[in-house]
């Protein structure tokens, strides 16, 4: 329709605040809001309806619109599901309701046994096919399907395979965003039948990867444009060290101009120390005493009856996985504690890291505070209360917590990689180290501790510098809009 706005459908398995495991949720949620604010496209969102989503559906901001039930074929069976159209803060959200697949205690894996669900391929194939069919049932023409991460890699693939001949999707383009190349969605070829497509797609230029099905590769090979979440990461993934076996095709796509790095931003409605709903006090760069007072309150709440304001509070909010630098951090915890610091860690993940952290917390209690759980309110409190935030990642496609930390005047100590390298300025807004070794990490955290203890004027200046940085979504959202525009003109 000439004159009407292009319709962009964001598809993802996490969308904040409806369902979240990590940064993917923050990004898709914030991007939808920013597109809505900019008003240049019509934006809609589709995600599975998990238990977690149900809680949000009680919110006053949700208006239910329509529910349609129908079946789609998955492998040899036909399965019923429902598409639910709700409006959340003026954004159209389409929930795929299929309790057998999505009403489980975890999103990707069983939280009790910490193993991926065995039927993840089937779950994602169902979600994807169901969304395509739902668009037809609802007669909803979308111009761009913007799919995120391996879980949604089948969207570009089905668009170019199953739905190629379907007139309804004749003009639909796809964009695929890689948030993390180390998660690829690799499945046994024995499950190929579930996909319901010809074997001709099981090739090196399709979704075959060393004899397996690879959904991230499907997204890369079949989308019209690929984006990754920072400029440095876009370069890093062309190297074997970061490419996880896909560096070859990434290099090819980059050479063809089909990969762009677009840095993530911050949703300052969610992450703002002046208004943060999770904090009992609020502050700005002009009222940093409030931040200091909150640190004392936080430490007292954690059982430290007379906290010493001269001791820095080091925070960490992270999935506890290899990517996040836990191995080098765990080695140096004793040396850090000896320097007279408080350390608070919030996270969950790999059993080995949880066990080692629990041991350390027992040993250094109460100065080492540990919360092995997922708790959004606590993540905000840690980022506000801490003096510095540790992000020693082995690799980091973008990273959000260092951006949140800066907004709260909490100086990030980061490794020079991916989006961490692109966002933190050493000595200005935080501390940056490079070699991935316990020594280099210890050296940099010690430097930060020394600055905090011996040079409060410098510290406060850096806090103010960090709080002045602007990582709002506007600029990055415009870059995505340019991509959509370009694709739609082709
Ligand atoms: P990643 O997506 O790799 O986990 P990011 O830094 O991009 O890393 O985003 C992580 C997001 O998840 C941030 O919003 C962070 O606050 C949040 N987060 C991580 N672990 C927890 C936790 N245990 N509880 C609450 N929020 C968490
Ligand atoms: C991924 C990355 C993280 C990034 C997030 C959102 O999970 O690990 O660096 O910030 O996605 O894009």
């Amino acid at each position: 329709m000439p004159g009407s706005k292009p319709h962009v459908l964001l598809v993802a398995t996490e969308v904040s605040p409806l369902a979240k495991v990590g940064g993917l949720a923050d990004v898709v949620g914030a991007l939808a809001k920013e597109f809505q604010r900019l008003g240049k496209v019509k934006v809609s969102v589709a995600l599975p309806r998990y238990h977690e989503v149900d809680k949000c559906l009680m919110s006053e901001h949700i208006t239910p619109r329509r529910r349609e039930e129908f079946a789609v074929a998955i492998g040899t069976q036909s399965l019923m599901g429902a598409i639910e159209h709700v409006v959340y803060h003026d954004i159209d959200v389409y929930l795929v309701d299929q309790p057998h697949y999505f009403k489980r205690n975890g999103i990707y894996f069983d939280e009790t046994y910490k193993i991926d669900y065995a039927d993840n391929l089937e779950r994602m194939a169902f979600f994807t096919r169901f969304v395509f069919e739902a668009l037809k049932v609802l007669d909803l023409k979308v111009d761009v399907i913007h799919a995120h991460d391996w879980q949604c890699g089948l969207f570009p693939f089905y668009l170019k395979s199953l739905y190629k001949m379907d007139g309804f999707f004749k003009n639909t383009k796809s964009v695929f965003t890689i948030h993390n190349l180390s998660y690829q969605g690799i499945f046994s070829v024995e499950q190929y039948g579930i996909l319901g497509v010809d074997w001709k797609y099981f090739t090196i230029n399709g979704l075959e990867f060393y004899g397996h099905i690879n959904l991230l590769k499907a997204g890369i090979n079949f989308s019209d444009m690929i984006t990754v979440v920072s400029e440095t990461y876009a370069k890093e993934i062309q190297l074997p060290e970061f490419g996880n076996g896909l560096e070859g095709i990434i290099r090819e796509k980059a050479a063809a101009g089909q990969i762009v790095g677009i840095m993530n931003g911050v949703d300052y409605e969610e992450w703002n120390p002046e208004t943060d709903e999770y904090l009992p006090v609020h502050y700005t760069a002009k009222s940093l005493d409030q931040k200091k007072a909150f640190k004392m309150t936080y430490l007292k709440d954690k059982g430290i009856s007379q906290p010493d304001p001269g001791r820095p509070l080091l925070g960490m909010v992270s999935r506890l996985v290899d990517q996040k630098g836990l191995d080098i951090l765990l080695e140096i915890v004793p040396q850090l504690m000896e320097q007279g610091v408080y350390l608070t860690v919030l996270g969950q993940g790999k059993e080995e890291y949880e066990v080692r952290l629990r041991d350390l917390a027992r040993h250094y209690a109460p100065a080492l505070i540990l919360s092995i759980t997922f708790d959004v309110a606590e993540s905000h409190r840690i980022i506000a209360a801490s003096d510095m935030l540790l992000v020693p990642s082995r690799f980091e496609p973008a990273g959000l917590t260092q951006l949140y930390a800066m907004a709260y005047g909490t100086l990030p100590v980061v490794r020079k990689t991916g989006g961490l390298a692109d966002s933190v300025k050493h000595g200005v807004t935080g501390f940056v180290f490079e070699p991935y070794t316990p020594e280099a990490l210890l050296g940099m955290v010690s430097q930060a501790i020394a600055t905090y203890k011996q040079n409060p004027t410098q510290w406060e200046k850096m806090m103010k510098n960090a709080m002045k940085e602007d990582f709002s979504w506007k600029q990055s959202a415009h870059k995505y809009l340019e991509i959509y525009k370009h694709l739609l003109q082709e």
Side-chain angles (χ1 to χ4, degrees):
M1 254 186 288
S4 69
K5 288 182 198 170
H7 187 173
V8 177
L9 177 70
L10 304 180
V11 286
T13 49
E14 296 174 42
V15 182
S16 197
L18 299 168
K20 166 163 166 170
V21 174
L24 168 66
D26 300 35
V27 170
V28 182
L31 203 52
K33 267 166 75 178
E34 190 62 30
F35 286 152
Q36 179 78 3
R37 196 166 14 234
L38 292 170
K40 302 244 162 83
V41 291
K42 158 148 186 57
V43 60
S44 304
V45 176
L47 80 157
R49 181 170 170 177
Y50 315 103
H51 278 308
E52 217 179 318
V53 173
D54 288 358
K55 286 180 224 148
C56 285
L57 293 184
M58 311 290 186
S59 140
E60 64 203 86
H61 302 296
I62 293 256
T63 320
R65 281 282 153 80
R66 188 172 168 187
R67 182 181 161 98
E68 295 291 336
E69 291 186 15
F70 57 93
V72 301
I74 283 299
T76 51
Q77 40 172 348
S78 178
L79 268 168
M80 282 303 284
I83 192 82
E84 282 188 345
H85 174 196
V86 301
V87 179
Y88 184 70
H89 282 293
D90 292 337
I91 296 171
D92 289 300
V93 177
Y94 297 91
L95 300 167
V96 173
D97 189 13
Q98 214 302 332
H100 167 65
Y101 285 138
F102 303 122
K103 296 282 175 76
R104 300 184 180 180
N105 72 358
I107 288 185
Y108 308 124
F109 56 85
D110 190 300
E111 309 246 313
T112 317
Y113 301 105
K114 295 200 187 249
I115 42 166
D116 284 349
Y117 292 126
D119 59 352
N120 271 347
L121 179 68
E122 200 177 315
R123 297 170 77 221
M124 290 309 117
F126 179 85
F127 172 61
T128 312
R129 292 239 29 216
F130 205 82
V131 171
F132 275 108
E133 294 301 321
L135 291 173
K136 295 207 293 185
V137 169
L138 302 172
D139 193 23
L140 206 65
K141 287 255 195 243
V142 296
D143 299 289
V144 178
I145 295 181
H146 184 164
H148 296 263
D149 268 353
W150 72 262
Q151 297 87 338
C152 292
L154 286 175
F155 278 92
F157 171 64
Y158 279 155
L159 188 60
K160 289 242 169 89
S161 53
L162 280 186
Y163 293 96
K164 191 171 63 181
M165 307 306 283
D166 189 324
F168 194 81
F169 297 103
K170 193 169 74 206
N171 298 319
T172 310
K173 302 284 181 185
S174 68
V175 175
F176 184 57
T177 295
I178 303 172
H179 295 260
N180 197 329
L181 200 77
S182 73
Y183 299 101
Q184 298 186 2
I186 296 176
F187 298 93
S188 154
V189 65
E190 277 146 37
Q191 299 190 57
Y192 196 81
I194 289 168
L195 298 176
V197 292
D198 196 282
W199 278 98
K200 72 179 181 195
Y201 298 108
F202 193 66
T203 67
I204 189 156
N205 297 318
L207 31 76
E208 188 269 346
F209 184 69
Y210 296 102
H212 289 72
I213 302 164
N214 183 323
L215 295 196
L216 193 85
K217 195 171 173 189
I220 295 172
N221 275 334
F222 293 92
S223 55
D224 295 307
M225 188 70 186
I226 301 149
T227 74
V228 300
V229 290
S230 74
E231 285 176 23
T232 294
Y233 194 59
K235 294 189 197 115
E236 287 174 340
I237 55 175
Q238 300 182 37
L239 309 169
E241 193 191 339
F242 296 96
N244 294 283
L246 290 175
E247 58 277 8
I249 68 163
I250 299 274
R251 266 200 305 272
E252 271 171 39
K253 297 284 174 187
Q258 282 177 333
I259 294 197
V260 193
I262 302 179
M263 182 64 190
N264 287 338
V266 176
D267 178 352
Y268 288 113
E269 278 179 15
E270 280 291 309
W271 293 94
N272 178 353
E274 211 178 339
T275 51
D276 193 320
E277 58 172 311
Y278 298 109
L279 302 184
V281 291
H282 294 111
Y283 62 91
T284 66
K286 292 201 179 93
S287 54
L288 291 175
D289 283 349
Q290 296 292 334
K291 174 174 166 72
K292 289 181 197 152
F294 178 59
K295 170 181 163 186
M296 294 299 115
T297 312
Y298 176 83
L299 290 170
K300 281 183 195 156
D301 282 350
K302 299 293 174 185
I304 301 169
S305 51
Q306 285 186 315
D308 172 2
R311 278 187 179 207
L313 171 60
L314 283 50
M316 185 172 198
V317 176
S318 180
R319 291 183 295 118
L320 302 177
V321 295
D322 294 341
Q323 172 191 346
K324 301 293 180 178
L326 271 305
D327 53 347
I328 58 171
L329 177 68
L330 286 167
E331 274 197 43
I332 66 157
V333 168
Q335 287 99 313
L336 290 181
M337 301 311 292
E338 274 159 29
Q339 293 183 48
V341 301
Y342 301 110
L343 174 62
T344 178
V345 179
L346 167 67
Q348 58 180 13
K350 199 170 163 179
E351 177 101 36
E352 177 201 333
Y353 295 138
E354 293 185 356
V355 168
R356 286 176 67 190
L357 276 165
R358 282 201 174 99
D359 285 346
L360 287 163
R362 262 191 299 274
H363 193 264
Y364 291 103
L368 201 169
I369 303 153
L370 178 65
S371 317
I372 303 269
T373 177
F374 190 88
D375 183 342
V376 172
E378 180 67 1
S379 73
H380 282 247
R381 287 193 289 264
I382 290 181
I383 285 174
S386 301
D387 296 295
M388 55 186 102
L389 190 83
L390 307 180
V391 196
S393 307
R394 184 187 287 272
F395 66 94
E396 195 59 74
L400 293 167
T401 56
Q402 84 281 8
L403 306 181
Y404 301 156
M406 285 188 271
Y408 284 67
T410 302
L411 299 183
V413 182
V414 305
R415 183 158 172 267
K416 190 171 179 191
T417 182
L420 300 173
D422 291 353
S423 57
V424 181
K425 298 181 202 128
H426 178 68
V428 181
T429 58
F431 298 86
V432 184
F433 70 101
E434 189 157 10
Y436 188 74
T437 60
E439 296 76 25
L441 171 60
L442 179 62
M444 195 47 69
V445 185
S446 304
Q447 188 180 321
I449 295 170
T451 310
Y452 177 88
K453 290 190 174 179
Q454 292 154 24
N455 200 341
T457 319
Q458 164 75 3
W459 190 270
E460 192 163 315
K461 185 158 176 272
M462 287 178 71
M463 287 172 83
K464 289 188 172 155
N465 292 340
M467 292 176 89
K468 255 193 237 135
E469 292 285 291
D470 179 5
F471 292 102
S472 47
W473 265 106
K474 195 166 170 195
Q475 220 184 335
S476 297
H478 271 293
K479 291 186 185 163
Y480 285 111
L481 290 174
E482 280 306 308
I483 290 177
Y484 304 152
K485 202 165 120 192
H486 181 78
L487 289 180
L488 295 174
Q489 276 164 359
E490 269 179 358

